[in-house]
């Protein structure tokens, strides 16, 4: 990480629960920013002590089973010092290129900027940074007060619990896309990854059954919204996910790790289909 002459005037917020294996890498990657807040859900490992050791503020969160969930609660209750906010998961870390791009962004007049920005995440899979395949893309950089995680009618859904699920927040203004990316260390333990994503699949299946594809795509816009809606309604979306990752996004170039990652995406969407049949 490059040491900056001055701290970037933005607030990084990291959601955690028992993330001692990831949290140091995440915090060390964002030490160029003026404020780093770790919002922690009663971790019983060293997540909080490691966060404090590396200069982050720690805020305790305990979910009451109602809205707002964790991310929205954090926006409403944490002492956020800056007009720009970056959300980072504990298993993600900032790249030097993205940090420099954000530094230039926050130095501009706010009226010259979008309200929020999509950022791509480069997966690490089987210990390898994947240069190809389908990278995830989500809104993580935004102006304070311009993003809202609304009630999503998933309180009764299984497994998702305290944190907002696999959907984008509502953005009041325009949305842009940053050129640089984060790195997502998504599967240090493949068995743990599968167990976690079985829970995501149960939530996903429940949402599709009770609210339909339109609900899951409602906060997207334009062509992206149409593609997400179409994908959720396809009968063979596991096959589509595999072809998209391995062929269209050239995941085969990454060798065994690329094929394994493509297979994991296909497995996940097949798991959603299985869970829907059981509801």
């Amino acid at each position: 990480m490059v040491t900056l002459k001055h701290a970037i005037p933005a607030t990084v917020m990291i959601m955690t629960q028992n993330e001692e294996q990831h949290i140091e890498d995440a915090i060390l990657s964002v030490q160029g920013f003026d404020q780093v807040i770790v919002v922690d859900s009663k971790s019983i490992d060293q997540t909080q002590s490691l966060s404090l050791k590396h200069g982050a503020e720690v805020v305790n969160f305990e979910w009451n089973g109602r809205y707002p969930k964790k991310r929205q609660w954090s926006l409403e209750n944490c002492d956020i010092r800056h007009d720009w906010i970056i959300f980072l998961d504990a298993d993600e870390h900032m790249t030097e290129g993205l940090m420099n791009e954000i530094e230039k962004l926050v130095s501009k007049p706010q009226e010259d900027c979008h309200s929020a920005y999509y950022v791509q995440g480069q997966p690490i899979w089987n210990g390898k940074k994947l240069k190809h395949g389908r990278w995830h893309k989500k809104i993580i950089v935004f102006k304070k007060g311009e993003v809202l995680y609304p009630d999503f009618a998933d309180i009764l859904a299984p497994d998702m619990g305290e944190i907002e699920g696999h959907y984008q927040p509502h953005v009041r203004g325009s949305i842009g896309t940053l050129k640089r990316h984060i790195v997502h260390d998504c599967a240090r333990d493949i068995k743990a990854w599968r167990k976690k994503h079985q829970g995501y699949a149960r939530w996903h299946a429940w949402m599709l059954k009770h609210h339909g594809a339109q609900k899951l795509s409602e906060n997207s816009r334009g062509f992206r919204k149409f593609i997400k809606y179409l994908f959720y309604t396809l009968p063979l979306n596991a096959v589509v996910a595999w072809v998209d990752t391995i062929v269209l996004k050239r995941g085969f170039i990454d060798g065994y790790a690329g094929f394994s990652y493509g297979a994991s995406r296909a497995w996940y969407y097949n798991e959603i289909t299985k869970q829907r049949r059981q509801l």
Side-chain angles (χ1 to χ4, degrees):
M1 184 177 122
V2 173
T3 301
L4 302 179
K5 295 180 180 179
H6 61 279
I8 300 171
T11 296
V12 179
M13 307 187 77
I14 307 174
M15 309 291 119
T16 62
Q17 185 178 44
N18 298 324
E19 290 285 359
E20 65 180 7
Q21 67 171 329
H22 292 118
I23 191 61
E24 287 187 286
D25 289 343
I27 293 176
L28 289 172
S29 77
V30 295
Q31 287 193 333
F33 292 88
D34 181 64
Q35 184 181 30
V36 179
I37 302 174
V38 171
V39 183
D40 186 68
S41 302
K42 291 188 172 181
S43 289
I44 59 174
D45 63 4
Q46 298 185 69
T47 297
Q48 292 202 14
S49 60
L50 291 171
S51 300
L52 293 168
K53 172 185 174 182
H54 293 293
E57 303 171 29
V58 174
V59 174
N60 288 294
F61 172 75
E62 183 174 1
W63 190 44
N64 61 10
R66 300 190 296 272
Y67 295 107
K69 290 192 175 186
K70 194 171 184 177
R71 291 191 179 97
Q72 184 60 33
W73 182 93
S74 301
L75 294 175
E76 295 175 4
N77 292 277
C78 291
D79 183 15
I80 299 170
R81 293 201 296 262
H82 297 289
D83 292 331
W84 284 96
I85 299 168
I86 300 107
F87 267 160
L88 206 64
D89 289 340
D91 60 358
E92 298 170 338
H93 60 264
M94 184 78 59
T95 59
E96 179 186 332
L98 179 60
M99 185 168 60
N100 292 335
E101 189 174 10
I102 293 174
E103 182 178 26
K104 293 176 182 178
L105 173 70
V106 302
S107 68
K108 296 179 181 178
Q110 288 222 359
E111 58 269 21
D112 293 341
C113 304
H114 295 287
S115 294
Y117 289 86
Y118 284 107
V119 175
Q120 286 193 306
Q122 180 182 20
I124 297 178
W125 190 263
N126 284 348
K128 180 177 180 177
K129 281 186 182 179
L130 301 183
K131 296 181 180 180
H132 305 278
R134 172 63 65 181
W135 295 11
H136 73 258
K137 183 178 179 181
K138 59 183 180 177
I139 294 168
I140 65 168
V141 179
F142 52 91
K143 297 176 187 176
K144 185 195 294 186
E146 290 295 296
V147 161
L148 172 70
Y149 288 87
D151 299 359
F152 207 64
D154 68 341
I155 290 295
L156 298 178
D159 292 286
M160 189 51 64
E162 68 174 20
I163 197 163
E164 292 84 352
H166 287 183
Y167 51 86
Q168 301 293 346
H170 173 72
V171 179
R172 294 188 174 93
S174 60
I175 305 174
T177 300
L178 296 181
K179 295 179 180 179
R180 301 305 180 98
H181 62 273
I182 57 174
V183 174
H184 182 201
D185 191 359
C186 51
R188 291 188 182 183
D189 183 335
I190 298 294
K191 290 183 179 179
W193 181 92
R194 286 177 71 92
K195 182 177 179 181
K196 180 170 69 175
H197 281 75
Q198 281 177 330
Y200 291 161
R202 284 189 288 270
W203 172 87
H204 210 142
W206 189 93
M207 291 296 294
L208 286 169
K209 178 176 176 62
H210 291 273
H211 300 291
Q214 185 172 359
K215 180 68 175 176
L216 287 173
S217 59
E218 69 179 10
N219 286 331
S220 298
R221 298 182 182 181
F223 185 67
R224 179 182 174 87
K225 182 173 184 174
F226 168 74
I227 288 296
K228 289 186 73 172
Y229 176 83
L230 180 63
F231 180 73
Y232 289 139
T233 58
L234 288 173
L236 297 175
N237 54 15
V239 176
V240 173
W242 192 88
V243 171
D244 171 66
T245 301
I246 299 300
V247 180
L248 299 182
K249 290 295 182 179
R250 300 183 300 167
F252 67 90
I253 297 176
D254 287 313
Y256 173 78
F259 279 100
S260 176
Y261 181 66
S264 74
R265 294 194 72 234
W267 169 86
Y268 175 69
Y269 289 105
N270 186 61
E271 190 69 18
I272 293 171
T273 300
K274 287 169 55 179
Q275 294 292 339
R276 289 184 72 180
R277 290 178 184 147
Q278 294 172 16
L279 290 174

